[in-house]
Amino acid sequence: MKPIGYWLNRTDKALTRSMNGMLEEFGLTRITWQVLNVVHEAPGTAGTADTDVLSTLAANADTATLTRAVDTALADGWASRPAPGLLTLTPGGRRRLTGVAARVDAFRELSTAGVSPEEYRTAVRVLERMSRNLEEAEGGVRP
């Protein structure tokens, strides 16, 4: 049996490859889609701070990759800056998220085919515990 690190890396690469392929027709990547979601799900209407986007997605990509995704969202008109350092979705960005939602749901169904809801919850809980164990051993360092 291969160790968990092997399966974590392989699964993450497969998720990214597959999701990027599915999102390509919408002009998005997995990371850009995640950025748009963080901005969309933020409380309030004043906008989401770039620092909040970066810290929320720190485990998903490095700062340079996330910054490029933010720049793409801005350049493609999916997000705008209501004030320096803040992001908000444009009407086009909201439509983009709405338009891609059914495909993302189908992607999630495909990626969890044959996995019961309980198995999924168990897998998430185990990975969460492993992360906490290692972060606590590092002195509480969390991405």
Side-chain angles (χ1 to χ4, degrees), residues 50-63:
D50 287 26
T51 54
D52 290 340
V53 172
L54 297 177
S55 64
T56 299
L57 297 174
N60 300 42
D62 60 36
T63 300

Side-chain angles (χ1 to χ4, degrees), residues 18-49:
S18 183
M19 192 164 199
N20 283 348
M22 183 272 301
L23 292 171
E24 186 176 30
E25 73 179 85
F26 298 94
L28 295 170
T29 64
R30 181 182 183 199
I31 293 294
T32 306
W33 174 79
Q34 290 170 334
V35 166
L36 294 177
N37 271 300
V38 170
V39 173
H40 174 70
E41 294 171 359
T45 58
T48 306

Side-chain angles (χ1 to χ4, degrees), residues 3-15 123 127 130-131:
I4 195 164
Y6 170 86
W7 290 111
L8 287 171
N9 289 328
R10 185 170 169 180
T11 301
D12 184 57
K13 287 176 183 174
L15 286 168
L127 294 172
M130 291 176 72
S131 293

